[in-house]
Amino acid sequence: MAEVRTYRRPMPADWWTRNPSYVVYMLREASAVFFFLYALVLLWGLNALSQGEAAFDGWRALLATPAMIAFHAVAAAFALLHTVTWFMVLPKTAPTLRLGGRIVPVAAVVVVGVGASAAISAFIYAWVAGILPPGLAEAVRNLVPPGGAS
Amino acid sequence: MKLKRSQEPIFWLLFGGGGTLAALVGVVLIVITGILVPAGSLPPDTMSFAAMHAFAASLFGKAAIFLVITLLLWHGVHRMAATAHHIGLASAHTAQIVLRGFAALATAACAYLLVGL
Amino acid sequence: MTDTRTIRIEALRFNPETDSEPRLQRYEVPFTPDMSVLQGLQYIKDHLDGSLTFRWSCRMAVCGSCGMMINGRPHLSCETFLRDLYPGPVRVEPLDHFPVQRDLAIDQAGFLDKLAAIKPYIVSAKERPLSEGPSRQTPAQLDAYYQYSQCINCLLCYAACPQFGLNPDFIGPAALSLLHRYNLDSRDIGWSVRADAANADVGVWECTVVGYCSEVCPKGVDPMHAVNENKVNSALDYLGVKRLLGGR
């Protein structure tokens, strides 16, 4: 049989701008860039920490510049987008969740996941700010010597 | 059809671990270390040299710092490699080699720094 | 009839024997409120231009032949109505990411190879003689795969998948959904039969969870779920613990 001649249309480089579903996808993926950069900021801080107090204070002074605070504000917004979208995708990696014979809607998973994230966040904030309830504070002190959190 | 086994699972597990960690603590960590502490909204010794040095000296502190930095990196490079391919910056393969190579180096550096503290 | 209006349909034309690249051709098509885009194309073929080529068969979203890009989105043309697109114009093009054979008809050969690669049939542990009667399934066993069995191979999900656009070798959403459909069937051996396809670099690992495939499916299949559930299965298989942790 003769080979059928076909025309293959090239994929335009801006394909992801042509459909709202693709734009939302790319925004979700963009959160990864901010986590990557944030991890590098922390690694840089760790390096400063290992070099002594002067280097570490230099790193902290840099964090206090308006540009770095602005970066972290944008990063926090993308991290929030990541939290929500992560729990939207997570149930797709497991067999269909059923509770009492009924399919658990994705929205319920998102509410539980974001709720868990909020609870952990509240705990970490309270720990760092030194406002944990006495019982919890005692338990944390047994795990981590006094001095603060990362 | 020729089917060749993919080596992605190992990177995907790192991506997934980092993504879950990021979903649970990403926002709060960025807000604390990047906004509240630099803006002076938390007790002044929160991220002082002495406090952080003590934290990084504890076993829990080392583990927490290592997991946060490295898993966020591996999570980040996984999606960034796909995006680089999507917007035509590089082939999927090239993007993976460059970004994963970088993440591996950064992971080693992180471990080295933590062992020294 | 009083409720006849006219709408412009712009169709992509490509003749492999004479054209080096496609072009758009415009047709003014009279339509009534009950007419689908497919019926608009049939009007063109019957009354305006007999050379316009497109595939169709059932006219009721069952056969999966008439998928095309309508105003840049993948749809079945039989269940997309001209009245909803009025005043138009309506741009019709062959499904994205596929080689164009002629006008609106795409080359499906690559998909058929992929379909064969995932073994789209029940593979049972042992031959069942007819005398044993039908294989019975409980409603729960049917529920486990029913959604995925609704796939009609219309290929809208491939037109929705940029990963397939960037790598034509990707086995893709529909074939991987059908892989999952047979793995989940209680009459089938399950994972091990189709593991090589799922584990392949052109298998589930090519997916980056864009998720648009599941949005455009006209039959309510969720390919994004099938593919990503099998990333977990493939990862467990990779680590050698798939059998330990069970599952199909």
PDB file of all heavy atoms in Angstrom, chain A residues 65-98:
ATOM      1  N   THR A  65      15.263  43.234  52.617  1.00  0.00           N
ATOM      2  CA  THR A  65      15.131  44.232  51.552  1.00  0.00           C
ATOM      3  C   THR A  65      13.745  44.116  50.920  1.00  0.00           C
ATOM      4  O   THR A  65      13.170  43.024  50.863  1.00  0.00           O
ATOM      5  CB  THR A  65      16.196  44.040  50.452  1.00  0.00           C
ATOM      6  OG1 THR A  65      16.063  42.712  49.927  1.00  0.00           O
ATOM      7  CG2 THR A  65      17.603  44.217  51.001  1.00  0.00           C
ATOM      8  N   PRO A  66      13.196  45.249  50.449  1.00  0.00           N
ATOM      9  CA  PRO A  66      11.844  45.233  49.852  1.00  0.00           C
ATOM     10  C   PRO A  66      11.735  44.221  48.708  1.00  0.00           C
ATOM     11  O   PRO A  66      10.706  43.542  48.581  1.00  0.00           O
ATOM     12  CB  PRO A  66      11.669  46.661  49.328  1.00  0.00           C
ATOM     13  CG  PRO A  66      12.612  47.487  50.146  1.00  0.00           C
ATOM     14  CD  PRO A  66      13.766  46.609  50.496  1.00  0.00           C
ATOM     15  N   ALA A  67      12.768  44.094  47.905  1.00  0.00           N
ATOM     16  CA  ALA A  67      12.690  43.172  46.762  1.00  0.00           C
ATOM     17  C   ALA A  67      12.491  41.739  47.238  1.00  0.00           C
ATOM     18  O   ALA A  67      11.670  40.994  46.676  1.00  0.00           O
ATOM     19  CB  ALA A  67      13.962  43.273  45.924  1.00  0.00           C
ATOM     20  N   MET A  68      13.243  41.356  48.277  1.00  0.00           N
ATOM     21  CA  MET A  68      13.117  39.976  48.762  1.00  0.00           C
ATOM     22  C   MET A  68      11.767  39.758  49.442  1.00  0.00           C
ATOM     23  O   MET A  68      11.168  38.693  49.306  1.00  0.00           O
ATOM     24  CB  MET A  68      14.260  39.657  49.737  1.00  0.00           C
ATOM     25  CG  MET A  68      15.578  39.382  49.033  1.00  0.00           C
ATOM     26  SD  MET A  68      15.456  38.038  47.819  1.00  0.00           S
ATOM     27  CE  MET A  68      15.782  36.623  48.837  1.00  0.00           C
ATOM     28  N   ILE A  69      11.270  40.774  50.167  1.00  0.00           N
ATOM     29  CA  ILE A  69       9.948  40.614  50.796  1.00  0.00           C
ATOM     30  C   ILE A  69       8.873  40.505  49.713  1.00  0.00           C
ATOM     31  O   ILE A  69       7.958  39.683  49.809  1.00  0.00           O
ATOM     32  CB  ILE A  69       9.679  41.775  51.782  1.00  0.00           C
ATOM     33  CG1 ILE A  69      10.623  41.626  52.987  1.00  0.00           C
ATOM     34  CG2 ILE A  69       8.218  41.765  52.237  1.00  0.00           C
ATOM     35  CD1 ILE A  69      10.466  42.684  54.052  1.00  0.00           C
ATOM     36  N   ALA A  70       9.027  41.290  48.648  1.00  0.00           N
ATOM     37  CA  ALA A  70       8.068  41.217  47.539  1.00  0.00           C
ATOM     38  C   ALA A  70       8.120  39.834  46.888  1.00  0.00           C
ATOM     39  O   ALA A  70       7.079  39.223  46.597  1.00  0.00           O
ATOM     40  CB  ALA A  70       8.376  42.295  46.504  1.00  0.00           C
ATOM     41  N   PHE A  71       9.342  39.316  46.685  1.00  0.00           N
ATOM     42  CA  PHE A  71       9.479  37.974  46.105  1.00  0.00           C
ATOM     43  C   PHE A  71       8.732  36.951  46.964  1.00  0.00           C
ATOM     44  O   PHE A  71       7.993  36.104  46.458  1.00  0.00           O
ATOM     45  CB  PHE A  71      10.959  37.575  45.992  1.00  0.00           C
ATOM     46  CG  PHE A  71      11.162  36.088  45.863  1.00  0.00           C
ATOM     47  CD1 PHE A  71      10.905  35.440  44.662  1.00  0.00           C
ATOM     48  CD2 PHE A  71      11.568  35.322  46.963  1.00  0.00           C
ATOM     49  CE1 PHE A  71      11.060  34.064  44.546  1.00  0.00           C
ATOM     50  CE2 PHE A  71      11.729  33.946  46.848  1.00  0.00           C
ATOM     51  CZ  PHE A  71      11.475  33.320  45.641  1.00  0.00           C
ATOM     52  N   HIS A  72       8.936  37.031  48.289  1.00  0.00           N
ATOM     53  CA  HIS A  72       8.305  36.047  49.165  1.00  0.00           C
ATOM     54  C   HIS A  72       6.779  36.195  49.199  1.00  0.00           C
ATOM     55  O   HIS A  72       6.063  35.202  49.362  1.00  0.00           O
ATOM     56  CB  HIS A  72       8.896  36.127  50.574  1.00  0.00           C
ATOM     57  CG  HIS A  72      10.244  35.480  50.674  1.00  0.00           C
ATOM     58  ND1 HIS A  72      11.426  36.182  50.576  1.00  0.00           N
ATOM     59  CD2 HIS A  72      10.608  34.183  50.823  1.00  0.00           C
ATOM     60  CE1 HIS A  72      12.452  35.351  50.681  1.00  0.00           C
ATOM     61  NE2 HIS A  72      11.986  34.130  50.819  1.00  0.00           N
ATOM     62  N   ALA A  73       6.300  37.433  49.017  1.00  0.00           N
ATOM     63  CA  ALA A  73       4.843  37.626  48.986  1.00  0.00           C
ATOM     64  C   ALA A  73       4.256  36.943  47.748  1.00  0.00           C
ATOM     65  O   ALA A  73       3.236  36.250  47.835  1.00  0.00           O
ATOM     66  CB  ALA A  73       4.513  39.123  48.988  1.00  0.00           C
ATOM     67  N   VAL A  74       4.918  37.118  46.600  1.00  0.00           N
ATOM     68  CA  VAL A  74       4.446  36.461  45.372  1.00  0.00           C
ATOM     69  C   VAL A  74       4.570  34.944  45.523  1.00  0.00           C
ATOM     70  O   VAL A  74       3.661  34.185  45.167  1.00  0.00           O
ATOM     71  CB  VAL A  74       5.245  36.955  44.143  1.00  0.00           C
ATOM     72  CG1 VAL A  74       4.810  36.197  42.894  1.00  0.00           C
ATOM     73  CG2 VAL A  74       5.068  38.452  43.965  1.00  0.00           C
ATOM     74  N   ALA A  75       5.693  34.499  46.095  1.00  0.00           N
ATOM     75  CA  ALA A  75       5.902  33.064  46.289  1.00  0.00           C
ATOM     76  C   ALA A  75       4.821  32.472  47.184  1.00  0.00           C
ATOM     77  O   ALA A  75       4.321  31.372  46.930  1.00  0.00           O
ATOM     78  CB  ALA A  75       7.286  32.810  46.881  1.00  0.00           C
ATOM     79  N   ALA A  76       4.430  33.214  48.225  1.00  0.00           N
ATOM     80  CA  ALA A  76       3.392  32.718  49.146  1.00  0.00           C
ATOM     81  C   ALA A  76       2.066  32.563  48.402  1.00  0.00           C
ATOM     82  O   ALA A  76       1.328  31.592  48.618  1.00  0.00           O
ATOM     83  CB  ALA A  76       3.240  33.655  50.336  1.00  0.00           C
ATOM     84  N   ALA A  77       1.762  33.512  47.498  1.00  0.00           N
ATOM     85  CA  ALA A  77       0.517  33.418  46.733  1.00  0.00           C
ATOM     86  C   ALA A  77       0.533  32.176  45.837  1.00  0.00           C
ATOM     87  O   ALA A  77      -0.455  31.433  45.764  1.00  0.00           O
ATOM     88  CB  ALA A  77       0.328  34.679  45.888  1.00  0.00           C
ATOM     89  N   PHE A  78       1.668  31.927  45.180  1.00  0.00           N
ATOM     90  CA  PHE A  78       1.764  30.740  44.335  1.00  0.00           C
ATOM     91  C   PHE A  78       1.736  29.466  45.175  1.00  0.00           C
ATOM     92  O   PHE A  78       1.212  28.435  44.750  1.00  0.00           O
ATOM     93  CB  PHE A  78       3.027  30.797  43.459  1.00  0.00           C
ATOM     94  CG  PHE A  78       2.800  31.502  42.161  1.00  0.00           C
ATOM     95  CD1 PHE A  78       3.122  32.842  42.018  1.00  0.00           C
ATOM     96  CD2 PHE A  78       2.241  30.840  41.081  1.00  0.00           C
ATOM     97  CE1 PHE A  78       2.895  33.514  40.818  1.00  0.00           C
ATOM     98  CE2 PHE A  78       2.013  31.491  39.877  1.00  0.00           C
ATOM     99  CZ  PHE A  78       2.338  32.829  39.738  1.00  0.00           C
ATOM    100  N   ALA A  79       2.304  29.525  46.389  1.00  0.00           N
ATOM    101  CA  ALA A  79       2.284  28.356  47.269  1.00  0.00           C
ATOM    102  C   ALA A  79       0.844  28.023  47.659  1.00  0.00           C
ATOM    103  O   ALA A  79       0.461  26.851  47.739  1.00  0.00           O
ATOM    104  CB  ALA A  79       3.131  28.617  48.514  1.00  0.00           C
ATOM    105  N   LEU A  80       0.041  29.064  47.858  1.00  0.00           N
ATOM    106  CA  LEU A  80      -1.368  28.847  48.203  1.00  0.00           C
ATOM    107  C   LEU A  80      -2.096  28.194  47.020  1.00  0.00           C
ATOM    108  O   LEU A  80      -2.873  27.243  47.194  1.00  0.00           O
ATOM    109  CB  LEU A  80      -2.022  30.185  48.569  1.00  0.00           C
ATOM    110  CG  LEU A  80      -3.433  30.109  49.156  1.00  0.00           C
ATOM    111  CD1 LEU A  80      -3.426  29.309  50.464  1.00  0.00           C
ATOM    112  CD2 LEU A  80      -3.989  31.510  49.405  1.00  0.00           C
ATOM    113  N   LEU A  81      -1.804  28.689  45.809  1.00  0.00           N
ATOM    114  CA  LEU A  81      -2.375  28.078  44.598  1.00  0.00           C
ATOM    115  C   LEU A  81      -1.964  26.608  44.520  1.00  0.00           C
ATOM    116  O   LEU A  81      -2.770  25.728  44.187  1.00  0.00           O
ATOM    117  CB  LEU A  81      -1.891  28.832  43.356  1.00  0.00           C
ATOM    118  CG  LEU A  81      -2.292  28.239  41.996  1.00  0.00           C
ATOM    119  CD1 LEU A  81      -3.780  28.451  41.744  1.00  0.00           C
ATOM    120  CD2 LEU A  81      -1.476  28.840  40.859  1.00  0.00           C
ATOM    121  N   HIS A  82      -0.705  26.349  44.860  1.00  0.00           N
ATOM    122  CA  HIS A  82      -0.213  24.975  44.831  1.00  0.00           C
ATOM    123  C   HIS A  82      -0.972  24.105  45.821  1.00  0.00           C
ATOM    124  O   HIS A  82      -1.359  22.975  45.505  1.00  0.00           O
ATOM    125  CB  HIS A  82       1.279  24.943  45.157  1.00  0.00           C
ATOM    126  CG  HIS A  82       1.802  23.556  45.414  1.00  0.00           C
ATOM    127  ND1 HIS A  82       2.083  22.666  44.399  1.00  0.00           N
ATOM    128  CD2 HIS A  82       2.048  22.882  46.573  1.00  0.00           C
ATOM    129  CE1 HIS A  82       2.486  21.525  44.911  1.00  0.00           C
ATOM    130  NE2 HIS A  82       2.490  21.622  46.226  1.00  0.00           N
ATOM    131  N   THR A  83      -1.185  24.628  47.044  1.00  0.00           N
ATOM    132  CA  THR A  83      -1.877  23.834  48.070  1.00  0.00           C
ATOM    133  C   THR A  83      -3.248  23.389  47.559  1.00  0.00           C
ATOM    134  O   THR A  83      -3.613  22.215  47.650  1.00  0.00           O
ATOM    135  CB  THR A  83      -2.034  24.654  49.366  1.00  0.00           C
ATOM    136  OG1 THR A  83      -0.730  24.979  49.848  1.00  0.00           O
ATOM    137  CG2 THR A  83      -2.781  23.858  50.432  1.00  0.00           C
ATOM    138  N   VAL A  84      -4.007  24.333  46.993  1.00  0.00           N
ATOM    139  CA  VAL A  84      -5.355  24.005  46.525  1.00  0.00           C
ATOM    140  C   VAL A  84      -5.299  23.032  45.348  1.00  0.00           C
ATOM    141  O   VAL A  84      -5.978  21.997  45.343  1.00  0.00           O
ATOM    142  CB  VAL A  84      -6.117  25.292  46.126  1.00  0.00           C
ATOM    143  CG1 VAL A  84      -7.475  24.949  45.530  1.00  0.00           C
ATOM    144  CG2 VAL A  84      -6.290  26.199  47.342  1.00  0.00           C
ATOM    145  N   THR A  85      -4.451  23.337  44.343  1.00  0.00           N
ATOM    146  CA  THR A  85      -4.427  22.486  43.148  1.00  0.00           C
ATOM    147  C   THR A  85      -3.838  21.108  43.454  1.00  0.00           C
ATOM    148  O   THR A  85      -4.225  20.122  42.837  1.00  0.00           O
ATOM    149  CB  THR A  85      -3.638  23.145  41.996  1.00  0.00           C
ATOM    150  OG1 THR A  85      -2.332  23.504  42.470  1.00  0.00           O
ATOM    151  CG2 THR A  85      -4.340  24.379  41.497  1.00  0.00           C
ATOM    152  N   TRP A  86      -2.911  21.045  44.425  1.00  0.00           N
ATOM    153  CA  TRP A  86      -2.323  19.749  44.780  1.00  0.00           C
ATOM    154  C   TRP A  86      -3.403  18.805  45.287  1.00  0.00           C
ATOM    155  O   TRP A  86      -3.451  17.639  44.901  1.00  0.00           O
ATOM    156  CB  TRP A  86      -1.240  19.945  45.848  1.00  0.00           C
ATOM    157  CG  TRP A  86      -0.426  18.706  46.087  1.00  0.00           C
ATOM    158  CD1 TRP A  86      -0.516  17.863  47.164  1.00  0.00           C
ATOM    159  CD2 TRP A  86       0.618  18.180  45.250  1.00  0.00           C
ATOM    160  NE1 TRP A  86       0.407  16.846  47.042  1.00  0.00           N
ATOM    161  CE2 TRP A  86       1.117  17.018  45.880  1.00  0.00           C
ATOM    162  CE3 TRP A  86       1.172  18.580  44.028  1.00  0.00           C
ATOM    163  CZ2 TRP A  86       2.141  16.247  45.328  1.00  0.00           C
ATOM    164  CZ3 TRP A  86       2.192  17.812  43.490  1.00  0.00           C
ATOM    165  CH2 TRP A  86       2.662  16.668  44.146  1.00  0.00           C
ATOM    166  N   PHE A  87      -4.287  19.322  46.132  1.00  0.00           N
ATOM    167  CA  PHE A  87      -5.341  18.455  46.668  1.00  0.00           C
ATOM    168  C   PHE A  87      -6.449  18.205  45.649  1.00  0.00           C
ATOM    169  O   PHE A  87      -7.267  17.295  45.826  1.00  0.00           O
ATOM    170  CB  PHE A  87      -5.889  19.017  47.986  1.00  0.00           C
ATOM    171  CG  PHE A  87      -4.876  18.928  49.100  1.00  0.00           C
ATOM    172  CD1 PHE A  87      -4.290  20.066  49.640  1.00  0.00           C
ATOM    173  CD2 PHE A  87      -4.476  17.684  49.576  1.00  0.00           C
ATOM    174  CE1 PHE A  87      -3.336  19.972  50.643  1.00  0.00           C
ATOM    175  CE2 PHE A  87      -3.518  17.581  50.576  1.00  0.00           C
ATOM    176  CZ  PHE A  87      -2.942  18.727  51.112  1.00  0.00           C
ATOM    177  N   MET A  88      -6.492  19.007  44.577  1.00  0.00           N
ATOM    178  CA  MET A  88      -7.424  18.695  43.482  1.00  0.00           C
ATOM    179  C   MET A  88      -6.917  17.507  42.677  1.00  0.00           C
ATOM    180  O   MET A  88      -7.693  16.692  42.184  1.00  0.00           O
ATOM    181  CB  MET A  88      -7.580  19.910  42.558  1.00  0.00           C
ATOM    182  CG  MET A  88      -8.409  21.025  43.157  1.00  0.00           C
ATOM    183  SD  MET A  88      -8.265  22.570  42.233  1.00  0.00           S
ATOM    184  CE  MET A  88      -9.248  22.180  40.793  1.00  0.00           C
ATOM    185  N   VAL A  89      -5.594  17.401  42.531  1.00  0.00           N
ATOM    186  CA  VAL A  89      -5.007  16.336  41.707  1.00  0.00           C
ATOM    187  C   VAL A  89      -4.785  15.061  42.510  1.00  0.00           C
ATOM    188  O   VAL A  89      -4.893  13.955  41.986  1.00  0.00           O
ATOM    189  CB  VAL A  89      -3.682  16.825  41.073  1.00  0.00           C
ATOM    190  CG1 VAL A  89      -2.950  15.685  40.395  1.00  0.00           C
ATOM    191  CG2 VAL A  89      -3.964  17.945  40.078  1.00  0.00           C
ATOM    192  N   LEU A  90      -4.480  15.227  43.810  1.00  0.00           N
ATOM    193  CA  LEU A  90      -4.124  14.069  44.645  1.00  0.00           C
ATOM    194  C   LEU A  90      -5.117  12.901  44.550  1.00  0.00           C
ATOM    195  O   LEU A  90      -4.693  11.756  44.371  1.00  0.00           O
ATOM    196  CB  LEU A  90      -3.953  14.520  46.105  1.00  0.00           C
ATOM    197  CG  LEU A  90      -3.147  13.584  46.994  1.00  0.00           C
ATOM    198  CD1 LEU A  90      -1.722  13.434  46.481  1.00  0.00           C
ATOM    199  CD2 LEU A  90      -3.131  14.077  48.435  1.00  0.00           C
ATOM    200  N   PRO A  91      -6.451  13.151  44.618  1.00  0.00           N
ATOM    201  CA  PRO A  91      -7.376  12.008  44.544  1.00  0.00           C
ATOM    202  C   PRO A  91      -7.297  11.267  43.208  1.00  0.00           C
ATOM    203  O   PRO A  91      -7.729  10.109  43.128  1.00  0.00           O
ATOM    204  CB  PRO A  91      -8.756  12.635  44.755  1.00  0.00           C
ATOM    205  CG  PRO A  91      -8.583  14.099  44.606  1.00  0.00           C
ATOM    206  CD  PRO A  91      -7.164  14.410  44.922  1.00  0.00           C
ATOM    207  N   LYS A  92      -6.736  11.903  42.175  1.00  0.00           N
ATOM    208  CA  LYS A  92      -6.637  11.236  40.873  1.00  0.00           C
ATOM    209  C   LYS A  92      -5.521  10.194  40.852  1.00  0.00           C
ATOM    210  O   LYS A  92      -5.388   9.445  39.883  1.00  0.00           O
ATOM    211  CB  LYS A  92      -6.371  12.266  39.762  1.00  0.00           C
ATOM    212  CG  LYS A  92      -7.431  13.335  39.659  1.00  0.00           C
ATOM    213  CD  LYS A  92      -8.753  12.773  39.209  1.00  0.00           C
ATOM    214  CE  LYS A  92      -9.801  13.869  39.068  1.00  0.00           C
ATOM    215  NZ  LYS A  92     -11.130  13.299  38.772  1.00  0.00           N
ATOM    216  N   THR A  93      -4.680  10.174  41.893  1.00  0.00           N
ATOM    217  CA  THR A  93      -3.613   9.178  41.931  1.00  0.00           C
ATOM    218  C   THR A  93      -4.047   7.930  42.695  1.00  0.00           C
ATOM    219  O   THR A  93      -3.285   6.985  42.820  1.00  0.00           O
ATOM    220  CB  THR A  93      -2.345   9.740  42.599  1.00  0.00           C
ATOM    221  OG1 THR A  93      -2.678  10.120  43.923  1.00  0.00           O
ATOM    222  CG2 THR A  93      -1.797  10.936  41.846  1.00  0.00           C
ATOM    223  N   ALA A  94      -5.259   7.934  43.220  1.00  0.00           N
ATOM    224  CA  ALA A  94      -5.753   6.798  44.006  1.00  0.00           C
ATOM    225  C   ALA A  94      -7.031   6.269  43.369  1.00  0.00           C
ATOM    226  O   ALA A  94      -7.699   6.984  42.619  1.00  0.00           O
ATOM    227  CB  ALA A  94      -6.034   7.257  45.434  1.00  0.00           C
ATOM    228  N   PRO A  95      -7.370   5.007  43.659  1.00  0.00           N
ATOM    229  CA  PRO A  95      -8.656   4.503  43.169  1.00  0.00           C
ATOM    230  C   PRO A  95      -9.788   5.409  43.653  1.00  0.00           C
ATOM    231  O   PRO A  95      -9.649   6.081  44.680  1.00  0.00           O
ATOM    232  CB  PRO A  95      -8.761   3.122  43.811  1.00  0.00           C
ATOM    233  CG  PRO A  95      -7.356   2.706  44.079  1.00  0.00           C
ATOM    234  CD  PRO A  95      -6.613   3.977  44.384  1.00  0.00           C
ATOM    235  N   THR A  96     -10.880   5.447  42.879  1.00  0.00           N
ATOM    236  CA  THR A  96     -12.015   6.295  43.224  1.00  0.00           C
ATOM    237  C   THR A  96     -12.394   6.107  44.693  1.00  0.00           C
ATOM    238  O   THR A  96     -12.650   4.994  45.141  1.00  0.00           O
ATOM    239  CB  THR A  96     -13.216   5.940  42.322  1.00  0.00           C
ATOM    240  OG1 THR A  96     -12.793   6.021  40.974  1.00  0.00           O
ATOM    241  CG2 THR A  96     -14.369   6.892  42.560  1.00  0.00           C
ATOM    242  N   LEU A  97     -12.382   7.224  45.427  1.00  0.00           N
ATOM    243  CA  LEU A  97     -12.707   7.166  46.862  1.00  0.00           C
ATOM    244  C   LEU A  97     -14.209   7.025  47.046  1.00  0.00           C
ATOM    245  O   LEU A  97     -14.988   7.769  46.467  1.00  0.00           O
ATOM    246  CB  LEU A  97     -12.251   8.464  47.537  1.00  0.00           C
ATOM    247  CG  LEU A  97     -10.811   8.578  48.007  1.00  0.00           C
ATOM    248  CD1 LEU A  97     -10.562   9.975  48.569  1.00  0.00           C
ATOM    249  CD2 LEU A  97     -10.533   7.520  49.071  1.00  0.00           C
ATOM    250  N   ARG A  98     -14.586   6.049  47.847  1.00  0.00           N
ATOM    251  CA  ARG A  98     -16.005   5.885  48.140  1.00  0.00           C
ATOM    252  C   ARG A  98     -16.208   5.867  49.646  1.00  0.00           C
ATOM    253  O   ARG A  98     -15.385   5.317  50.379  1.00  0.00           O
ATOM    254  CB  ARG A  98     -16.543   4.583  47.549  1.00  0.00           C
ATOM    255  CG  ARG A  98     -16.768   4.655  46.066  1.00  0.00           C
ATOM    256  CD  ARG A  98     -17.079   3.269  45.504  1.00  0.00           C
ATOM    257  NE  ARG A  98     -16.527   3.117  44.155  1.00  0.00           N
ATOM    258  CZ  ARG A  98     -17.201   3.411  43.040  1.00  0.00           C
ATOM    259  NH1 ARG A  98     -18.433   3.830  43.111  1.00  0.00           N
ATOM    260  NH2 ARG A  98     -16.636   3.250  41.874  1.00  0.00           N
TER     261      ARG A  98
END
